[in-house]
Amino acid sequence: MKREIGNVIFVTVCMAIGLIPLVGMSVAKTETTTENRVLSEWPSLIEDGSFNVNFLPEAGTYFEDHFAFRNQMVAADALVMGKVFRESSTDTVLVGTDDWLYYTDSLDDYLGQNVVSDRGAYNIANNLKIVQDKMVQEGIDFAFTVAPNKNSLYDEHMPYYYRVKASDTNNRRKVIPLLEQLSVRYVDLYGPFEQESGVLYRAQDSHWNGKGAVLAYNTILDDLGQAHNDLSNVPISRTKTEKGDLGVSLYSVAAQPEWDYRYEYDSQFSYVTDTESWEDVWIQTESQGKSGNLLMFRDSFGNTLSPLIAEEYGQAAFSKDTVYHLDSRIDACQPDTVLFEIVERNLDRFGQFARGDHSSGPPVMEAPYAGDVDIYSAAQEETETTAEAFLSDMRPDYLCITGQIDEAVMQTETNVYIEITAGGNTNVYEGYTVTDPETGSDNGYLMYLNTAQVPDGAFQIRVFTEDADGSIVMVLDKEMDVSGAMTAG
């Protein structure tokens, strides 16, 4: 009898526990999630006048998203997996030793796998050179810097099963020497960061800590020759108020704030734009008594770096565009200096272009005029080079002219020049060199041209390649007409 009563009690308790998520929805239904997605809505029993045959599975999905204490249960599972078994419950975060977390997207750089080809690396460096050339033509200083991946500096906490690498070569190690070869102004952060004895990144965040941001700030402004307070004479306090982005992504509501450094000084800059946070895509600032006008394209590493830089410029603008709308942003703020900052794992974005994909690509910038390039003595070859033109999705008053160069005439360091004849005018431009991420071809070219340069929509295009030895070949001569697209646009 006692055994039967015990069984009943056991079953009752198990059923009660199992019903908590359902019954609890009346008072503690889950309405938000830390998983960066939209929760499902309660399905309709009748749709378009008939019974919804998917009602039950859709109702099940609704319950999976909204049952009571869902976030707490997800967090508890992640804590057990991460803290006890060192396993991640999300594919975006790696669990290391001593509670260190790493961003999964940095694995290719760390392991030396899926590295861009030699030609792909040249595309990246060459496009940055073309941007610099355009800035020189407009009387603007230019500089480029790369924020290190966390595991490029601190890999001692990486999971042991990633210790065997495919190669010691990665995108950064291939691109940076080319930037120096092409005389692109590159501000190196790796040297100063590696020489620093203290840890400059947070354990549960993918970004540098307060000291890391200050070191980057000093290094960049020293290189730019911009007068600034190096902050060595201000008090530093330790704070524990912010949760790491990786900690929140993995542990959600169970993530805990971690220690960081705060530099105690009175901020002097003010916002010109209606700014909510440094996550905003476009921010403009001014700082009384300071000189210089800066336009900085940055990513999330700029959330802590940009406020420091804003202190030191009379006017500054900060863009978080994924693909840089360079001409538009220059028109908006008329800078005398342009700075690009991007994290190491996204370096390949400058060398890629796919129509309709706005997650990567070189800056949207009208192509610069070519310098002393003697295209008129060029040899001509019959090739399979292609060309197409269409209005840019990102700037409709620009034509996007792109195509593929015949592989037979391409070398590792081949440049592309594009001659456009329209309305009685002929101009020669430097073309971006790009990789098509869909096909893997590294032999693409790209340029942006203001539609005012082709007033009736018809033009003659000639495409030239220039190899490292200076030899120039014309690989395409074609008439094009985009008047229909321009009228529609």
Side-chain angles (χ1 to χ4, degrees), residues 31 33 52 96 106 120 162 171 187 225 233 306 357 376 450:
E31 298 288 8
T33 178
N52 178 12
S106 65
Y162 289 122
N171 291 346
V187 182
N233 58 346
S306 300
D357 181 2
Y376 299 106
N450 195 308

Side-chain angles (χ1 to χ4, degrees), residues 198-245:
V199 176
L200 301 175
Y201 280 56
R202 293 164 60 189
Q204 304 222 333
D205 200 280
S206 58
H207 305 92
W208 46 46
N209 59 25
K211 284 188 175 181
V214 167
L215 180 56
Y217 148 84
N218 281 323
T219 303
I220 291 169
L221 294 195
D222 283 347
D223 190 281
L224 290 175
Q226 180 72 13
H228 64 283
N229 178 7
D230 65 11
L231 300 181
S232 60
N233 58 346
V234 303
I236 304 175
S237 61
R238 294 188 73 202
T239 64
K240 198 174 186 180
T241 57
E242 299 293 330
K243 299 177 181 179
D245 61 345

Side-chain angles (χ1 to χ4, degrees), residues 256-274:
Q256 297 296 313
E258 57 180 322
W259 290 109
D260 202 346
Y261 299 93
R262 178 182 177 86
Y263 286 70
E264 305 290 348
Y265 62 91
D266 292 330
S267 179
Q268 300 298 314
F269 79 87
S270 59
Y271 294 105
V272 176
T273 48
D274 185 12

Side-chain angles (χ1 to χ4, degrees), residues 340-406:
F340 287 4
E341 173 274 314
I342 195 167
V343 67
E344 178 183 354
R345 59 180 176 269
N346 291 331
L347 184 57
D348 59 349
R349 289 183 179 179
F350 291 115
Q352 296 183 348
F353 177 76
R355 183 172 180 176
D357 181 2
H358 300 159
S359 63
S360 64
V364 182
M365 173 194 79
E366 191 170 9
Y369 295 112
D372 298 327
V373 180
D374 184 14
I375 64 170
Y376 299 106
S377 60
Q380 182 174 357
E381 291 189 16
E382 293 290 333
T383 72
E384 298 297 322
T385 299
T386 64
E388 63 173 325
F390 48 88
L391 293 178
S392 169
D393 293 337
M394 292 179 286
R395 182 156 178 174
D397 61 334
Y398 278 11
L399 274 181
C400 182
I401 300 173
T402 186
Q404 290 287 319
I405 306 289
D406 191 327

